[in-house]
Amino acid sequence: MPSIRLLSRLASAFTTPRSPEDFLRLVDPLASARQLRGLVTSVVPETADSVTIRFRPGKGWNAHEAGQWARIGVEIDGVRHWRSYSLSTGAGQDPAITVTAMGKVSTALVRGTRRGDVLFLAPPEGDFVLPERPRPLLMLTAGSGLTPVMSMIRTLVPRRADADLVLVHSSRSPEDSLFREELLELADQFPGFRLVQWFTGERGRRLDLAGTGDLDAACPDWRDRAAYACGPAEFLDAAEALWQREEGELRVERFAAVVAPGSGGEGGRVTFEKSDTEVEADSATTLLAAGEDAGLMMRSGCRMGICHACVTPLLSGQVRDTRTGEVHGEPGHLVQTCVSTAAGPVSLDA
Amino acid sequence: MTIVTPLLLDQGRPAGRAKPSAAAHLSDAQIEELGRELDALRESVIATRGARDAAYIRRVIATQRSLELAGRAALLFAKHKPAWLAGTGMLTLAKILENMEIGHNVLHGQWDWMRDPDIHSTTWEWDFVTPAEAWQHTHNDLHHTWTNVVGKDRDVGYTILRMDEDQPWTPRNLGNPLYNALLAPVFEWGIAIYDLELDEVREGRKPVAELKRGLKALGAKFVKQAAKDYVATPAAAAVTGSAKQALTATLTANAARNIWAHAVIFCGHFPAGADTFTEEQIEGETRGDWYVRQMIGSANISGSRLMHLMTGNLSFQIEHHLFPDLPSNRYAEVAVKVREICERYELPYTTGPLPKQVASAWAKVFRLALP
């Protein structure tokens, strides 16, 4: 709309060096020229320690695809923290995240979010999405790994009569199981959707992906289905190994950076050249966290080593990759600051 | 994890080097201990920074923006005297708040810890003709590092005034009071030109290419600033036949803001009691020495909370110079402790009401006009 752009140009002649949005924010909490925002429209408890937070995003948000995630910024004690969360609503709807109180940021979100609060957002990302053409699907989830898959189910099942989707979801108990009522209802209503619940508490053991027995029982034709998996690291490792052996196709979404045992390195002094800042970072502090703790505006994305939004040129020194424990780095190399720690003194072009 | 301040060394002072006279009675050990006390004070504020402080700066920003909007709205009817007065008043207040409590302090990085890109030293641009980046260099880097070191701190006289006995007298200095009086209403231009560091270019210490870049940035900033205050606002007021009055109003607001900023800033280091230093005196300066220099080289302004707000808490110049990146709203509580430390170590803590401090700074301007 060129007329709006013209209007905004005109308005900015009156507001420079601020943007018109900076003034608009006096009345509209979502107005911002620099930072996408979302207004919390509801906070609904899911289980004892998880809630679904639904929000209305401001201008600049792209409607998400089912299965995507977004970075959410939350203020804790005046400091903005960012984490990535899967969006659990159907594609194109107002987004919602379902958060379990684990870790500082998620706990603050679960305990502290109220309707009317403003969250900070980055546009949705990720390619853990539904296949382009309809085909039989198998969703394998555990715990909160259900959230991105829930978005797929909500998108696909009620809208497509030809949907053929099996969900095998593992959780501790019915009370711990996210979206349980809704899933039961959907399974009841739509013949194309079958729900297999695996309660580890009741069965006395986990879903066994070392062999094919449990899968054969839950979903006999699993080999013919396009498979998706999301859950804790070991669950995904087992699924990946199994599908590799069986030569099937599997897409996985990992939630947390895998930290190699005993890795972390020795830490050291981190110099952010452009910002003229030096910080002592220990072996447990990522370069990203070190920069942010010093108040720098660091580039970042998923914060778990997937999206590469945080890559920054190394000027000198070496870093340790927290996922592999490997120490690497030469001047000019791009390092992922979100999964790298200092292995001795490090200088970054940031 | 600790943030390293590379500037402050723990050791290095050559044995036997003369201390500034105001601190001559202190032993090296005492100065070291004083440094530790001030470090602890800084840590205690950082440890308690939080939601309350964030709410404070957001409240000031919202107030400033409301004042600015209301002021410009009133100027649409500036041909009516009350509207002119109200508009000019609100715009002046808005500009003062924007420059002092918000701009100066945000550009110091005082609010960077919030990690809010809307209130951050790397993204902020202010309603002042000199571009933020140029000012950050001459002010944050040069002035705050070399505070009051004659020959190093170019803020001693801003390269046009003679403000210290140690600056050699020339007949040109007879104009000291005149230059200063002319500078006040156009202070933002004084700063903008000062930030170009023309003398550094003349002496070959600053590349001409860098000057060109600075000029370009200043030109672009000037066009936008002038377009807002002297074109857009009067043009909008033309609808009610108030163009001319709106123009006089924005000119008045800018001049009033400049005079205020000039007055406050001249109270920072020039009133009687604030010390200056020679380059020899700071050789191998330790962490404690650096703190001492900031304390005895700066002067405060006493007054009400509103007064502190309108000076951007630069009324706590001593505290600001000790801890330039602590949030400005905390200087008042820090001041109580700094003053106590000064008393205990028998160091001067220069402060006084605004008229007294302004008069004292002007007295120096007059006195140093003569050899």
Side-chain angles (χ1 to χ4, degrees):
Chain A
M1 280 187 288
S3 60
I4 288 207
R5 208 175 310 149
L6 184 70
L7 213 63
S8 151
R9 284 271 292 276
L10 259 175
S12 68
F14 290 91
T15 60
T16 186
R18 303 270 78 74
S19 67
E21 288 86 347
D22 287 332
F23 285 87
L24 210 54
R25 192 150 71 243
L26 291 170
V27 289
D28 173 8
L30 297 187
S32 173
R34 196 170 264 127
Q35 179 63 69
L36 191 57
R37 288 150 191 257
L39 187 71
V40 174
T41 51
S42 74
V43 182
V44 180
E46 290 288 348
T47 65
D49 56 358
S50 65
V51 297
T52 290
I53 300 167
R54 198 174 289 268
F55 51 90
R56 179 167 59 81
K59 226 171 57 185
W61 172 266
N62 317 320
H64 71 283
E65 284 181 62
Q68 286 193 308
W69 49 268
R71 282 200 306 136
I72 309 281
V74 199
E75 252 171 43
I76 306 173
D77 280 337
V79 181
R80 196 167 301 176
H81 296 264
W82 289 87
R83 291 292 181 274
S84 301
Y85 291 100
S86 293
L87 303 166
S88 52
T89 51
Q93 294 175 349
D94 266 3
I97 53 174
T98 299
V99 188
T100 304
M102 269 164 46
K104 177 176 171 167
V105 177
S106 293
T107 303
L109 268 174
V110 170
R111 310 268 179 251
T113 312
R114 303 283 172 268
R115 194 170 165 227
D117 284 358
V118 172
L119 297 174
F120 304 92
L121 313 173
E125 285 181 67
D127 46 15
F128 187 70
V129 293
L130 289 167
E132 273 175 34
R133 275 186 289 276
R135 52 180 299 189
L137 300 169
L138 167 65
M139 305 288 175
L140 206 53
T141 60
S144 60
L146 178 57
T147 39
V149 167
M150 196 60 202
S151 169
M152 296 178 175
I153 291 169
R154 282 168 169 162
T155 305
L156 198 64
V157 172
R159 291 186 210 165
R160 300 286 301 238
D162 58 349
D164 177 3
L165 193 155
V166 176
L167 168 67
V168 180
H169 177 61
S170 165
S171 59
R172 218 173 319 149
S173 67
E175 296 73 44
D176 280 326
S177 197
L178 293 171
F179 315 117
R180 189 160 161 268
E181 298 289 317
E182 187 182 344
L183 286 170
L184 288 171
E185 244 170 66
L186 284 170
D188 204 35
Q189 222 178 327
F190 298 97
F193 173 53
R194 198 157 67 79
L195 171 66
V196 180
Q197 302 185 86
W198 186 286
F199 298 120
T200 52
E202 283 174 15
R203 302 218 189 208
R205 66 178 182 87
R206 293 185 182 179
L207 184 72
D208 178 22
L209 294 174
T212 60
D214 280 355
L215 270 180
D216 288 337
C219 178
D221 62 347
W222 63 273
R223 286 182 182 82
D224 304 329
R225 292 174 176 267
Y228 288 72
C230 186
E234 51 203 270
F235 176 80
L236 296 181
D237 291 344
E240 272 182 331
L242 177 61
W243 257 263
Q244 210 159 21
R245 281 200 303 278
E246 299 287 329
E247 292 173 5
E249 75 180 281
L250 174 76
R251 281 194 192 201
V252 300
E253 177 89 319
R254 285 181 189 273
F255 269 138
V258 189
V259 178
S263 76
E266 45 285 87
R269 178 171 296 199
V270 186
T271 308
F272 300 89
E273 287 291 342
K274 274 196 203 130
S275 329
D276 196 14
T277 300
E278 282 190 335
V279 163
E280 264 330 307
D282 61 26
S283 60
T285 308
T286 62
L287 301 176
L288 175 62
E292 286 187 338
D293 288 348
L296 306 182
M297 299 299 307
M298 300 283 290
R299 280 182 305 162
S300 70
C302 64
R303 312 182 77 94
M304 50 189 168
I306 299 173
C307 76
H308 290 256
C310 66
V311 292
T312 303
L314 191 66
L315 295 176
S316 69
Q318 290 214 304
V319 300
R320 192 181 292 272
D321 188 318
T322 57
R323 297 165 299 180
T324 59
E326 180 207 358
V327 174
H328 68 100
E330 270 172 44
H333 278 185
L334 294 173
V335 294
Q336 289 173 277
T337 60
C338 73
V339 288
S340 301
T341 58
V346 166
S347 169
L348 291 173
D349 189 20
Chain B
M1 201 183 67
T2 53
I3 298 180
V4 180
T5 314
L7 182 69
L8 303 178
L9 303 169
D10 284 323
Q11 53 209 6
R13 170 158 27 137
R17 170 170 62 62
K19 295 179 181 116
S21 56
H25 61 286
L26 295 178
S27 69
D28 288 359
Q30 279 176 309
I31 289 179
E32 207 180 309
E33 178 55 28
L34 177 142
R36 269 198 294 275
E37 283 193 47
L38 289 170
D39 279 344
L41 184 51
R42 177 188 156 82
E43 284 305 313
S44 74
V45 174
I46 287 179
T48 53
R49 268 186 327 205
R52 240 168 17 124
D53 304 289
Y56 168 80
I57 189 64
R58 295 213 169 98
R59 203 163 58 234
V60 174
I61 288 174
T63 305
Q64 187 275 331
R65 286 179 190 166
S66 305
L67 273 171
E68 170 145 15
L69 264 186
R72 284 189 202 274
L75 291 184
L76 295 177
F77 309 95
K79 72 172 174 189
H80 306 288
K81 198 99 190 223
W84 188 94
L85 278 172
T88 309
M90 286 190 282
L91 199 53
T92 304
L93 282 180
K95 279 177 178 280
I96 287 174
L97 277 179
E98 203 276 346
N99 283 173
M100 312 293 279
E101 181 63 347
I102 305 170
H104 172 272
N105 296 332
V106 169
L107 291 176
H108 259 292
Q110 291 184 6
W111 302 98
D112 285 5
W113 57 275
M114 290 162 59
R115 298 184 209 150
D116 179 345
D118 286 324
I119 312 175
H120 198 274
S121 63
T122 55
T123 59
W124 192 266
E125 187 53 81
W126 57 351
D127 185 13
F128 208 54
V129 74
T130 193
E133 204 186 331
W135 179 83
Q136 279 176 312
H137 167 67
T138 56
H139 182 82
N140 292 3
D141 295 359
L142 302 182
H143 167 59
H144 273 270
T145 308
W146 306 115
T147 312
N148 285 26
V149 179
V150 179
K152 281 247 181 203
D153 180 2
R154 301 170 63 257
D155 277 22
V156 182
Y158 294 92
T159 64
I160 54 163
L161 301 172
R162 180 166 179 256
M163 292 305 289
D164 193 82
E165 309 274 0
D166 290 342
Q167 290 170 319
W169 183 87
T170 65
R172 194 175 69 94
N173 299 130
L174 285 170
N176 239 20
L178 179 70
Y179 308 147
N180 202 28
L182 292 176
L183 174 64
V186 292
F187 189 54
E188 60 180 317
W189 275 105
I191 296 294
I193 293 164
Y194 170 73
D195 287 346
L196 291 173
E197 304 179 294
L198 295 173
D199 54 323
E200 294 287 293
V201 179
R202 208 178 306 124
E203 283 163 35
R205 286 194 294 264
K206 177 173 171 162
V208 177
E210 218 172 291
L211 173 68
K212 281 189 183 152
R213 221 174 19 246
L215 275 169
K216 219 170 129 187
L218 174 57
K221 183 80 191 289
F222 162 67
V223 168
K224 283 188 189 166
Q225 289 291 107
K228 169 172 75 167
D229 282 343
Y230 308 136
V231 181
T233 301
V239 176
T240 65
S242 302
K244 211 175 84 191
Q245 292 83 350
L247 179 66
T248 61
T250 50
L251 277 166
T252 306
N254 275 331
R257 179 272 316 272
N258 286 340
I259 290 169
W260 176 256
H262 175 269
V264 169
I265 284 155
F266 269 67
C267 290
H269 304 286
F270 302 143
D275 221 341
T276 57
F277 313 92
T278 62
E279 291 186 46
E280 293 74 47
Q281 273 175 325
I282 63 155
E283 197 189 323
E285 202 172 47
T286 66
R287 194 180 188 78
D289 289 327
W290 188 86
Y291 274 137
V292 167
R293 174 158 60 87
Q294 302 305 326
M295 273 196 288
I296 65 181
S298 307
N300 282 6
I301 306 169
S302 57
S304 64
R305 280 181 63 182
L306 180 66
M307 172 79 188
H308 296 310
L309 174 67
M310 296 313 284
T311 63
N313 278 295
L314 291 181
S315 44
F316 295 109
Q317 189 78 223
I318 297 172
E319 291 71 21
H320 172 57
H321 262 268
L322 291 171
F323 314 115
D325 59 354
L326 288 188
S328 56
N329 62 321
R330 306 294 292 272
Y331 285 148
E333 66 183 71
V334 170
V336 179
K337 292 169 183 153
V338 169
R339 194 168 186 154
E340 185 271 320
I341 289 174
C342 278
E343 276 164 18
R344 196 147 33 81
Y345 285 87
E346 293 173 16
L347 287 169
Y349 185 87
T350 309
T351 183
L354 183 73
K356 180 183 159 227
Q357 299 300 78
V358 170
S360 181
W362 270 94
K364 191 176 255 182
V365 171
F366 272 92
R367 198 174 65 245
L368 291 170
L370 302 170

